[in-house]
Amino acid sequence: MSHGTFDEAPVRTQQQQRQQRQQQQQQQQQQSTFSQVFGSNEIRTQNNNNVNANTLDEPIAKTLKRDMDRIMNNAKNVLDISKIVMNSSSSSSSSDESDDARQPLRDWDLWGPLIFVLLFGVCLSSSARGDEADSAEVFSVVFATVAFGAFALTLNVKFLGGKIIFLQAMSLIGYCVLPLDIAALLCLLSTNGIYRIVVTTVGVVWACAASVPFISAAVPEQRRALAVYPIVLLFVTLGLFAAMVV
């Protein structure tokens, strides 16, 4: 009896250890799936090795300067027409060019997209025809459309075998809204229908052209058209908002 009593304890301990390992593996798989879609802190730390990891003790001015530099660099990537044309014309790019196209996706942030989407929503809501309720509705529709577009873009790229996370998609769409911000501001200068159509068309084409190289770099070459289609549809929808509401 004593021999059986001493043998049961290790067996139970091994079973408990197996159950704990299985639970840990399941939690790791769930966290990995979540981080692949919505992002994780490891992505930012791996892709920003040149930035000091300990930013709690640095001055606020230095943090703001670094954030502003990132916003300016990402905005330049969207507004640089020559770079957009060069990236769009090169269908089969080399590995170095592919890394350059992925760089804005790696250096993503949410401050710039927040500013540009806010500006777009303010332009549309401030000129909306109707009362304050209509303005608030237009403002909320803009944010909901951008958020839904980022979620759809993330799932689409994932299903096509690409690599992107939700926050990267949100950052990409937010920065590429900048040409539509310019178009919405220009539409405030005139109520002529033809003028607004021309301006918003240029803004939509500009936004789509700016986003295509970044999305194309995130998916296999033979599936780029399928990856680009949803974001083109999103910017066409936002362009229609700008042409009809402003």
Side-chain angles (χ1 to χ4, degrees):
M1 293 295 293
S2 62
H3 179 72
T5 303
F6 283 110
D7 284 344
E8 288 177 359
V11 172
R12 292 178 180 176
T13 304
Q14 291 178 358
Q15 291 178 352
Q16 292 176 355
Q17 291 177 353
R18 290 197 198 97
Q19 292 177 356
Q20 291 177 356
R21 284 197 296 267
Q22 291 177 357
Q23 292 177 355
Q24 290 177 356
Q25 290 176 357
Q26 291 177 356
Q27 291 178 355
Q28 290 176 356
Q29 290 177 356
Q30 292 176 356
Q31 292 176 356
S32 176
T33 303
F34 180 85
S35 62
Q36 287 178 358
V37 177
F38 293 97
S40 64
N41 292 329
E42 295 178 358
I43 297 175
R44 294 302 299 271
T45 55
Q46 291 175 359
N47 295 325
N48 294 279
N49 293 328
N50 57 340
V51 179
N52 187 8
N54 187 12
T55 58
L56 296 177
D57 298 332
E58 70 177 9
I60 298 177
K62 185 177 180 180
T63 303
L64 293 176
K65 183 179 182 302
R66 186 178 65 249
D67 293 338
M68 290 301 299
D69 290 340
R70 184 185 293 115
I71 293 173
M72 293 299 295
N73 290 331
N74 289 335
K76 287 179 181 178
N77 289 326
V78 175
L79 297 178
D80 192 352
I81 300 178
S82 60
K83 189 174 182 180
I84 292 173
V85 174
M86 182 181 63
N87 291 334
S88 299
S89 60
S90 59
S91 57
S92 59
S93 59
S94 61
S95 59
D96 295 337
E97 293 175 351
S98 180
D99 290 338
D100 292 339
R102 289 190 182 97
Q103 191 64 30
L105 289 176
R106 292 172 180 172
D107 295 337
W108 56 268
D109 69 279
L110 298 179
W111 287 112
L114 177 62
I115 294 172
F116 298 138
V117 174
L118 273 174
L119 178 60
F120 187 71
V122 168
C123 290
L124 267 63
S125 61
S126 61
S127 58
R129 303 177 183 88
D131 54 6
E132 293 182 358
D134 294 335
S135 299
E137 184 177 355
V138 170
F139 190 83
S140 60
V141 167
V142 170
F143 267 83
T145 303
V146 172
F148 177 77
F151 186 74
L153 176 63
T154 304
L155 292 181
N156 185 51
V157 172
K158 285 293 184 182
F159 290 153
L160 294 176
K163 295 181 180 180
I164 196 173
I165 61 175
F166 174 76
L167 297 180
Q168 286 176 333
M170 180 68 75
S171 177
L172 173 64
I173 293 175
Y175 276 108
C176 291
V177 167
L178 181 55
L180 292 177
D181 289 339
I182 299 174
L185 291 173
L186 292 176
C187 286
L188 294 175
L189 301 177
S190 176
T191 58
N192 185 276
I194 298 177
Y195 169 79
R196 290 187 172 186
I197 292 175
V198 172
V199 169
T200 53
T201 301
V202 173
V204 169
V205 173
W206 195 344
C208 294
S211 63
V212 165
F214 306 140
I215 298 300
S216 299
V219 296
E221 184 177 356
Q222 64 274 14
R223 299 178 179 177
R224 289 178 178 177
L226 295 175
V228 168
Y229 170 74
I231 197 168
V232 172
L233 185 61
L234 171 65
F235 288 131
V236 170
T237 304
L238 294 178
L240 289 176
F241 287 167
M244 297 174 60
V245 176
V246 176

